Each structure stands twice: as C-alpha cells, then as structure tokens.
Amino acid sequence: MKNPNLTPDNQSSDHASDRMQTATILALFFVGLFLIQGVFLPYWPVWLKAQGLSAGEIGILLSLPNWVRVFADPLIAQRADRTGNRKTPMLWLGGIYVLSILAFPVSSNFWWLAGLSVVIGFTFSPLLPLGTTITVHECKARDLDYGRVRLWGSLAFIFASYGAGWVLDGTSTSWIVWMLFIAGIVNFAILTRMPDPQTDRPLRSGSSLIYLLRKPVFLIYLGCIGFAQGAHGTYYSFASVHWESVGYSHEMIGIFWSIGVIAEIALFAVAGRFVRGRHPGMLFALGAFAGIVRWLVLGSSDNIWLIILVQPLHAMTFGITHLAAVSFIARAIPQALATSAQSLMATLSMGVFLGSSIWASGPLYENFGSQAYYVMAILSGIALAFSFWLMRSWRGEDQTFCD
C-alpha cells in the first residue's frame, strides 16, 4: 500500500539516499580487498625473501594461491549461483583468511608456508568474483557507474602500498604480516555490511561451468583476459624484489606501485562513457598493446624516469582490461550465470594464466633478471591477437548465451 505522506520529492530523496548508501558500501567492499592487495602484491615477496627463500621458492609460493583458485573459485561460484546466496560464503572466507594470516610467522619452513598459501588461495581469491557479481548486479539495478565504484579500491591500494613502504622503512619486514592482519580485519567488517540480493533463479539442471566452457566466444574471451593478466606475472612477483636489489628504498617502491594505480583510478573515474557501447575486444586490444610497451621498457632499463614514465600504463594493462572483462560479462551473460562466468574468468586469468606466469617468473628472474619481462611482452602480444579474434567472432549482442 502506498504511503500517502510520501510526496514525489520525498520519494526522489529516498531513492537518491538509497543509491548513495549502496554505492558507498560497494565502494568499501573494494577498499577492504585492496587494502590487503596493496600490502600483499608489493611486499609479500619481500617478506618471503627475508625468510631466506630462493627466487624459485618465492615463485612457487606466490603462484600457489592462484593455482588453488582454479578449484576453489568454480566450486564456490557454482554453489552461489544455484542458491542465489553470495554474502554468507564471503563472510566465512573472510573470517578464515584473517586467522590464517596469523599463522605465517610461526615457521619459515617452505612446506609450512606452502600449506598456508593454499589456505590463502582458497579463502581470499573467491571474494573478488563473489563481490563483483553483487556489485555489477546492484550497479545495473540502481544505475550506478561501476568504474566510479571500483576506483575506491584502487585508492585503497595506493594508500596501502605507499603507507606500507613508509612503515617498513622505519621498522622491519615482520610488520608485513601484521599489516595484512589489520587489513583483513577491516575487510571482514566491511563484508558484514554488503548487500545480499536474492534475485537470481537457480539453474534448472546441468553445470553452468560446463555450459559456458562449451561456448567458443566465451573461450576466446578467456584467451583475451587470460594472456593479458598472465603478462603481469613477473611484475607482481619480482618487481619489488628487483627494485630493492638495484637500490630503491621501500618508500620509492611504494611510489612506483602507486603511480600505476593513480593512473588506473583516473581511468575508472572517466571511462564509464567511453566503455559503454565500445566493443570489449577493442578495449582488450588497447590493454594488450600497452602491455607490450610497458614490459619491453621494464625489461630493458632500471632508470627511475623510465619506470615513472611507463608505470601509468597500468591503467591500460590492468584497468582497461578489467573494464573490458566486466563489460563482456554484463552484456553477454544472463544474471543466473553471472557468478559462474566471473569465477571462470578469475579462475583462468588469475589462476591458470597468472599462476603459471608467476611460477615461471621464478626461474626466469633467477637466470635473466629483469629481462624476464620480455616473456611478459610476448604474452601481451598473444592477448592482442585474441582481442582481434574476439572482435571478429562476436558482434556485441546482449545476453549472447541465452538459449
């Protein structure tokens, strides 16, 4: 029954307030995740190195979470699509992650660290596809700009990476674990406030994962995002280690990482109109071409000004590629399959492709140093070829995979 006391102006005000509240908590979701990532990506290799591990062992430990998500993400995502419930598993996973971080300082034994890395892969990795599915759903339902919601995660990454570098220059690497623990507590608190839409109908029968993997266009799409993300393997695993080895301070390393993410934020802030209506294959091509340039430069020089010059290309190699991946799923995939699609994308791109690349970067960096980036440039070139294939194979139809 309609409330007779509600005027059109009041209804409009309530609607605007509801949109703002939803946008705020969705933005905070990304803040929580990327506070963790902002410490983990630049400085976890540094912590592992301080435990006396070799480059090869570091590569294995860094790749393990990515490999675990190959199994964890699809299982959790398919369950979420069948039940329509995404928030409850996110709370369980976020809580277990916080507890597992505390166990890392117990021993520097390789196998102890490997076991905990498996737990991290199982608990932290699925949070992004689960939360992104909720975010995309709420953005469509409430006419919110996904890019402007997502950019707050990038701001959190800058705060965490620069702040952690500043802390470490005045303390010791042991603080890396405690910063990850504090970020995990913040993340869990935010997860408790996430919306919990229950609008998707469970699939009637069969596996949503197998259904998607039988679609040639979806496989080409996975090639685009997979090789593009895999090309970041050496950067994510050994950029900080290498910059530290050539004499850059932890604070300067934090600045290097922050420059790339600042550019990513600027992209997310203004890219909404540009992305809307653009073919995802074209966006993938822009990111892949930028990757070729970025990795060739980082592989050939440690000059501070060249590093500063190419770090903004992170807006293309990661940012525009991420928007292309989300845009394809939002346009081509029915909502009942959205979490499975997000999970397959994250599993294969951040699991199989990036995991393999990080693992390979260990021996590559051990033998060739920063020239390992040249292999990353080759992966970006393959991603570029897949992006052209996607443009030829898919016309951009909405709900492509509706039977």
Side-chain angles (χ1 to χ4, degrees):
M1 182 176 177
K2 240 183 177 177
N3 188 340
N5 297 319
L6 280 179
T7 66
D9 285 345
N10 287 336
Q11 290 175 338
S12 177
S13 176
D14 287 346
H15 177 68
S17 175
D18 182 58
R19 288 180 73 244
M20 179 60 69
Q21 185 177 8
T22 301
T24 300
I25 192 59
L26 294 176
L28 285 174
F29 162 71
F30 289 109
V31 167
L33 282 187
F34 284 91
L35 282 176
I36 295 172
Q37 290 283 62
V39 178
F40 187 89
L41 280 179
Y43 300 112
W44 195 241
V46 175
W47 187 85
L48 292 174
K49 182 184 176 185
Q51 309 313 301
L53 300 171
S54 69
E57 289 173 327
I58 291 172
I60 292 171
L61 292 177
L62 292 174
S63 68
L64 274 175
N66 300 81
W67 281 110
V68 170
R69 73 186 306 167
V70 173
F71 306 100
D73 283 15
L75 291 174
I76 294 170
Q78 186 160 268
R79 175 67 178 172
D81 273 342
R82 288 187 178 278
T83 64
N85 183 353
R86 298 176 179 93
K87 182 175 179 178
T88 299
M90 290 172 72
L91 291 172
W92 277 102
L93 295 170
I96 296 171
Y97 166 83
V98 171
L99 296 176
S100 64
I101 282 294
L102 289 177
F104 273 94
V106 170
S107 172
S108 60
N109 177 271
F110 173 82
W111 295 107
W112 173 259
L113 298 177
L116 291 174
S117 297
V118 168
V119 176
I120 291 296
F122 191 88
T123 56
F124 183 75
S125 298
L127 291 176
L128 185 59
L130 290 169
T132 300
T133 300
I134 293 175
T135 301
V136 171
H137 176 275
E138 293 296 296
C139 285
K140 290 177 69 175
R142 301 172 191 274
D143 195 27
L144 300 172
D145 187 323
Y146 172 84
R148 294 187 178 182
V149 170
R150 172 62 177 75
L151 70 81
W152 290 96
S154 301
L155 281 170
F157 186 97
I158 290 176
F159 172 81
S161 61
Y162 180 79
W166 179 78
V167 169
L168 291 173
D169 277 339
T171 56
S172 70
T173 55
S174 63
W175 273 85
I176 294 172
V177 169
W178 294 109
M179 286 188 285
L180 285 171
F181 173 71
I182 293 168
I185 292 289
V186 172
N187 179 60
F188 181 80
I190 293 169
L191 292 178
T192 65
R193 305 298 300 169
M194 279 288 283
D196 190 18
Q198 301 282 328
T199 56
D200 298 340
R201 292 179 290 109
L203 297 177
R204 293 186 296 274
S205 63
S207 167
S208 56
L209 302 175
I210 293 174
Y211 173 79
L212 289 167
L213 289 172
R214 286 177 175 170
K215 300 293 182 178
V217 168
F218 190 75
L219 294 177
I220 297 169
Y221 158 76
L222 290 177
C224 292
I225 184 65
F227 283 104
Q229 288 290 4
H232 291 77
T234 298
Y235 178 67
Y236 287 159
S237 53
F238 290 101
S240 295
V241 170
H242 179 71
W243 287 331
E244 183 185 51
S245 73
V246 297
Y248 290 112
S249 68
H250 291 126
E251 187 174 359
M252 193 68 229
I253 291 169
I255 291 173
F256 288 155
W257 283 83
S258 298
I259 289 170
V261 183
I262 288 170
E264 177 188 312
I265 291 168
L267 174 77
F268 285 149
V270 302
R273 291 184 179 180
F274 176 77
V275 170
R276 194 174 297 118
R278 295 294 194 284
H279 196 293
M282 186 192 76
L283 304 178
F284 279 128
L286 290 174
F289 180 76
I292 294 171
V293 175
R294 185 185 187 191
W295 310 134
L296 287 176
V297 171
L298 290 181
S300 60
S301 176
D302 297 321
N303 180 274
I304 185 172
W305 298 113
L306 283 177
I307 295 172
I308 290 172
L309 182 66
V310 299
Q311 279 299 84
L313 290 178
H314 190 73
M316 296 286 106
T317 63
F318 175 80
I320 203 72
T321 298
H322 176 73
L323 292 178
V326 171
S327 173
F328 178 87
I329 290 177
R331 290 173 59 179
I333 308 295
Q335 185 62 31
L337 296 170
T339 305
S340 293
Q342 288 281 357
S343 173
L344 277 173
M345 181 267 286
T347 295
L348 294 174
S349 64
M350 304 299 288
V352 174
F353 284 87
L354 184 58
S356 299
S357 178
I358 289 174
W359 173 79
S361 292
L364 283 171
Y365 181 76
E366 206 161 32
N367 288 285
F368 303 106
S370 63
Q371 291 181 353
Y373 281 115
Y374 294 154
V375 178
M376 304 301 109
I378 293 172
L379 295 182
S380 290
I382 297 173
L384 183 62
F386 268 95
S387 67
F388 290 134
W389 192 3
L390 183 64
M391 283 187 275
R392 291 188 61 183
S393 303
W394 181 60
R395 295 189 301 259
E397 311 95 320
D398 285 351
Q399 303 292 285
T400 303
F401 302 140
C402 285
D403 285 330

